[in-house]
């Protein structure tokens, strides 16, 4: 499903009205009614409802909601926070219908009066500002938002919590903290920004009859969900043999960090790889092998438990490789990573310490004739780009698209809403995962799953989006069935892959 910016939402709206011939007043009626259907599931008609409306079409939705709730026997008052002449077009039409239906509207701009109305209500419907907001929230909205947030009453936002920007790039704002938000037709970008999404509370999409398409081809962002995975994940052929499912190489680890490559290798095997070889220091092999007996091992030259040299490896005998996990950041490991980037004429995934190594070698990556996948978390992304973590979290879509295009890489910016970007600038947002994954080792497991997916017979975009989905889905199933977000650890996520694959295939 497309994730839209405000501009794209307006384009779709305009298309539906101008080319599709749908009257904007019908769209507004559809939006209001669809939201009322949701509200009636949450709110009993003995509860008193206050609808806060502003000057735009978001306020217009508010009038439709108020009228339809009134028809269903709810006690409803509309507080209009702007002067009468500010309400125009479709919103004015629906305001008049509400009046015709004997609806009560109070024109209020002093916050103390708003407070009095709030104290006599059980539920507040927030239809003040929608996706048309620009700049900082002005009065009286700012004060009203602060008052609503202070009160412990059920708050339901229409389309977007008032004050939250629809798009990325605005770090500081005053906004309603909604319990529920009913988002009109398509998800807005800010739903997937970790500093905005908490304001939405629980959210759901409501359909109002718009086409699900976007017109600006330079900003294609989609969610990746279970339906997409089921459609694209290759089934295992009855006549396959181990060579059909990829031979992968995992390079990394050190004497003090053997666990990371162990988990990457095990996760790769548990997600379908035919054969996995681990290249690491001799000292680490016994402990890794006892956890991952299915893998084979190459002992790398080492000094004090750190890899110092690359043995002669025929990279062409592998289908893909992952490098960097637990490898350390010495000069020797950095030069090994550099050599692998140049010599290995196969798809490569670079994670963790490997990302630190390549900062100065991005031009070498651009020259590669085979795909390169980078999997930074925001801290590593900051190191690679020179932006601060805050700047990255404020504009994660823009920053990652720019980086993927500029350096010709597949970029997986990990986080609550992991963003996958391809070198052409297409982007997907993963929809699985939970805070149980916020533990050391989760990223190593992801690298293993991705390595395996990269070797299965699917496009690289599908491989990476499916891999991210499967990783998060494992954590979700575990947390819902046997573990908690507290005790979940990375190796559980590997064990949980069984449930994911049994569900998906
Ligand atoms: N297909 C669709 O998309 C459909 C969309 N629909 C709905 O329409 C909504 C979008 O409507 P919209 O475009 O009228 O914008 P919206 O946010 O209601 O108001 C903007 C007004 O607010 C004001 N204002 C702006 N910034 C401000 C600030 N910082 N601080 C204070 N005030 C500020 C400014 O007014 P001004 O005071 O400047 O004259 C401006 O005119 C959308 O979210 C959805 O709910 C549905 O009806 C069905 C179809
Ligand atoms: N709160 C969260 N919600 C969803 N996914 C999360 C959350 N925290 C972490 N993750 C996921 O867990 C993984 C953590 O990776 P990373 O930071 O590299 O961990 P490590 O380096 O310790 O292995 C990423 O895939 C990330 O998307
Ligand atoms: K709103």
């Amino acid at each position: 499903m497309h994730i839209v910016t405000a501009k794209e939402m307006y384009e779709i709206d305009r298309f539906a009205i101008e080319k599709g011939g749908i009257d904007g007043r019908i769209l507004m009626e559809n939006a209001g009614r669809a939201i009322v259907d949701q509200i009636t599931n949450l709110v009993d008609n003995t509860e008193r409802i206050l609808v806060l409306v502003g000057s735009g079409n978001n306020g217009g939705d508010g009038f439709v909601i108020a009228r339809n709730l009134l028809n269903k026997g709810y006690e409803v008052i509309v507080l209009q926070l702007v002067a009468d002449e500010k309400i125009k077009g479709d919103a004015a039409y629906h305001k008049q219908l509400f009046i015709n239906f004997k609806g009560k509207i109070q024109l209020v701009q002093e916050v103390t009066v708003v407070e009095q109305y709030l104290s006599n209500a059980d539920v507040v419907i927030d239809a003040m500002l929608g996706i048309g907001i620009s700049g900082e929230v002005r009065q009286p909205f700012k004060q009203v938002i602060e008052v609503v947030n202070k009160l412990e009453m059920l708050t339901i936002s229409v389309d977007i919590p008032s004050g939250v920007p629809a798009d990325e790039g605005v770090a500081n704002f005053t906004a309603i903290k909604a319990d529920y938000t009913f988002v009109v037709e398509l998800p807005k970008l800010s739903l997937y920004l970790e500093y905005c999404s908490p304001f939405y509370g629980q959210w759901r999409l409501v359909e109002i009859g718009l086409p699900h398409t976007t017109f600006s081809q330079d900003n294609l962002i989609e969610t990746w969900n279970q339906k997409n995975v089921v459609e694209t994940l290759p089934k295992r052929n009855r006549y396959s043999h181990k060579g059909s499912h990829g031979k992968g190489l995992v390079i990394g680890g050190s004497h003090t960090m053997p666990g990371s490559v162990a988990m990457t290798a095990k996760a790769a095997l548990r997600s379908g790889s035919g054969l996995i070889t681990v290249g690491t220091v001799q000292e680490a092999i016994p402990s890794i092998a006892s956890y991952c007996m299915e893998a084979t091992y190459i002992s790398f030259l080492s000094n004090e438990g750190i890899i110092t040299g690359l043995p002669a490896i025929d990279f062409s005998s592998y289908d893909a490789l992952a490098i960097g996990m637990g490898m350390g950041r010495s000069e020797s490991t950095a030069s090994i990573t550099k050599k692998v980037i140049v010599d290995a004429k196969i798809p490569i995934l670079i994670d963790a310490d490997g990302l630190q190594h390549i900062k100065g070698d991005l031009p070498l990556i651009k020259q590669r004739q085979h795909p390169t996948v980078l999997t930074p978390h925001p801290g590593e992304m900051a190191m690679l780009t020179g932006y601060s973590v805050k700047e990255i979290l404020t504009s994660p879509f823009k920053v990652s698209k720019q980086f993927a295009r500029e350096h010709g890489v597949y970029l997986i910016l990990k986080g609550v809403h992991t963003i996958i970007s391809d070198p052409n600038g297409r982007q997907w947002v993963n929809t699985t995962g939970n805070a149980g994954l916020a533990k050391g080792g989760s990223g190593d497991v992801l690298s293993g799953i991705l390595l395996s997916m990269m070797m299965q017979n699917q496009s690289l975009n599908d491989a990476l989006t499916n891999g991210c989905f499967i990783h998060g889905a494992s954590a979700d199933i575990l947390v819902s069935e046997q573990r908690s977000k507290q005790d979940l650890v990375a190796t559980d996520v590997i064990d949980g892959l069984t449930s994911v694959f049994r569900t998906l295939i």
Side-chain angles (χ1 to χ4, degrees):
M1 176 177 285
H2 289 295
I3 300 171
V4 287
T5 59
K7 179 170 168 273
E8 286 166 336
M9 194 71 218
Y10 285 125
E11 280 172 6
I12 296 169
D13 191 40
R14 206 174 312 124
F15 174 84
I17 294 172
E18 289 173 8
K19 299 276 189 323
I22 301 179
D23 192 318
R25 293 178 292 187
I26 294 179
L27 291 175
M28 197 172 273
E29 180 72 18
N30 290 353
R33 277 175 169 271
I35 292 174
V36 165
D37 284 345
Q38 300 288 336
I39 294 173
T40 52
N41 292 329
L42 295 171
V43 181
D44 201 82
N45 72 358
T46 56
E47 299 188 74
R48 297 159 303 172
I49 299 182
L50 196 65
V51 185
L52 303 175
V53 305
S55 63
N57 287 336
N58 196 251
D61 294 346
F63 286 115
V64 177
I65 291 168
R67 171 167 49 82
N68 283 288
L69 286 174
L70 197 64
N71 276 352
K72 290 182 188 294
Y74 287 78
E75 191 184 316
V76 187
I77 296 177
V78 169
L79 287 196
Q80 183 186 311
L81 301 169
V82 294
D84 281 332
E85 61 271 21
K86 284 274 194 180
I87 303 209
K88 301 184 195 118
D90 298 344
Y93 168 83
H94 282 291
K95 177 182 169 183
Q96 189 57 47
L97 290 193
F98 181 58
I99 294 168
N100 298 349
F101 279 58
K102 311 263 177 278
K104 277 191 223 158
I105 303 177
Q106 291 293 332
L107 176 63
V108 179
Q109 287 182 307
E110 302 80 53
V111 74
T112 47
V113 183
V114 176
E115 257 177 313
Q116 280 163 22
Y117 277 97
L118 284 165
S119 64
N120 289 319
D122 303 300
V123 180
V124 59
I125 312 274
D126 153 36
M128 294 184 279
L129 298 163
I131 61 171
I133 186 174
S134 65
E136 271 189 37
V137 176
R138 297 189 299 267
Q139 300 298 10
F141 297 102
K142 190 163 188 288
Q143 277 184 316
V144 172
I145 289 170
E146 283 160 0
V147 167
V148 171
N149 285 345
K150 243 189 260 155
L151 297 172
E152 295 276 307
M153 60 195 293
L154 185 66
T155 305
I156 299 174
S157 288
V158 175
D159 198 23
I160 191 164
S162 294
V164 172
D167 301 339
E168 64 183 343
V170 182
N172 302 310
F173 51 82
T174 306
I176 288 284
K177 291 199 178 90
D179 295 300
Y180 293 89
T181 300
F182 297 112
V183 178
V184 173
E185 201 72 51
L186 287 166
K188 316 298 181 287
L189 207 58
S190 63
L191 264 169
Y192 301 98
L193 300 171
E194 63 178 69
Y195 63 98
C196 291
S197 58
F199 286 85
Y200 281 82
Q202 290 187 49
W203 63 273
R204 219 163 289 155
L205 295 174
V206 291
E207 284 193 28
I208 67 164
L210 292 172
H212 283 203
T213 182
T214 58
F215 300 102
S216 26
Q217 292 299 308
D218 62 349
N219 197 35
L220 275 183
I221 308 175
E222 289 167 81
T223 54
W224 197 253
N225 53 39
Q226 178 150 343
K227 187 167 167 280
N228 302 117
V229 181
V230 171
E231 281 168 7
T232 56
L233 196 66
K235 309 279 174 288
R236 237 167 153 83
N237 183 333
R238 162 121 177 63
Y239 298 98
S240 65
H241 55 87
K242 59 182 183 278
S244 331
H245 296 291
K247 191 173 172 203
L249 178 62
V250 177
I251 299 175
S254 52
H255 185 41
T256 53
M257 282 188 285
S260 50
V261 268
M263 287 188 282
T264 302
K266 188 80 169 189
L269 285 159
R270 278 266 186 241
S271 26
S273 308
L275 290 161
I276 290 292
T277 299
V278 178
T280 189
V281 294
Q282 176 61 42
E283 300 93 308
I285 292 177
S287 66
I288 301 174
S290 67
Y291 173 66
C292 192
M293 284 183 277
E294 301 84 354
T296 58
Y297 294 85
I298 302 175
S299 171
F300 278 26
L301 299 174
S302 68
N303 183 25
E304 296 182 355
I306 303 281
I307 299 177
T308 51
L310 193 64
I313 294 179
D314 176 11
F315 289 111
S316 68
S317 66
Y318 297 94
D319 297 298
L321 74 80
I323 184 166
M325 298 72 50
M327 200 176 182
R329 296 179 194 171
S330 64
E331 262 177 44
S332 61
T333 51
S335 65
I336 287 163
T337 303
K338 186 170 177 175
K339 191 158 168 44
V340 168
I341 293 168
V342 175
D343 291 355
K345 311 268 186 280
I346 52 174
I348 294 184
L349 178 147
I350 306 173
D351 186 26
D353 296 327
L355 295 170
Q356 306 283 340
H357 300 157
I358 59 160
K359 185 171 164 39
D361 293 325
L362 291 168
L364 288 180
I365 291 194
K366 186 147 194 186
Q367 285 162 20
R368 278 175 47 78
Q369 299 296 311
H370 294 81
T372 311
V373 179
L374 309 184
T375 58
H377 56 54
E380 289 161 341
M381 191 66 190
M383 176 276 299
L384 285 171
T385 56
Y387 289 118
S388 67
V389 170
K390 182 163 183 206
E391 284 167 327
I392 285 161
L393 294 179
T394 305
S395 299
F397 290 94
K398 190 172 144 214
V399 171
S400 46
K401 176 162 46 181
Q402 199 178 16
F403 191 91
R405 275 185 170 161
E406 186 180 339
H407 301 289
V409 295
Y410 292 80
L411 186 88
I412 296 178
L413 179 58
K414 295 183 287 196
V416 177
H417 307 287
T418 293
I419 301 170
I420 299 105
S421 308
D422 79 3
N424 299 319
R426 279 192 71 181
Q427 296 185 302
W428 294 266
V429 178
N430 183 39
T431 52
T432 57
N434 60 68
L437 286 170
K439 306 245 171 71
S442 300
D444 303 321
V445 173
L446 177 68
S447 292
I449 299 171
L450 293 173
L451 174 64
S452 175
M453 290 294 130
M454 286 161 67
M455 302 191 295
Q456 310 307 311
N457 194 12
Q458 55 192 328
S459 80
L460 196 48
N461 289 338
D462 290 347
L464 301 177
T465 43
N466 285 340
C468 292
F469 182 95
I470 288 165
H471 177 253
S474 174
D476 289 345
I477 295 174
L478 286 164
V479 163
S480 72
E481 291 180 358
Q482 36 176 313
R483 295 266 176 220
S484 69
K485 289 176 195 163
Q486 275 71 19
D487 74 284
L488 185 79
V489 292
T491 49
D492 295 332
V493 179
I494 300 174
D495 297 338
L497 290 170
T498 304
S499 314
V500 182
F501 287 114
R502 287 175 71 101
T503 321
L504 294 177
I505 296 175

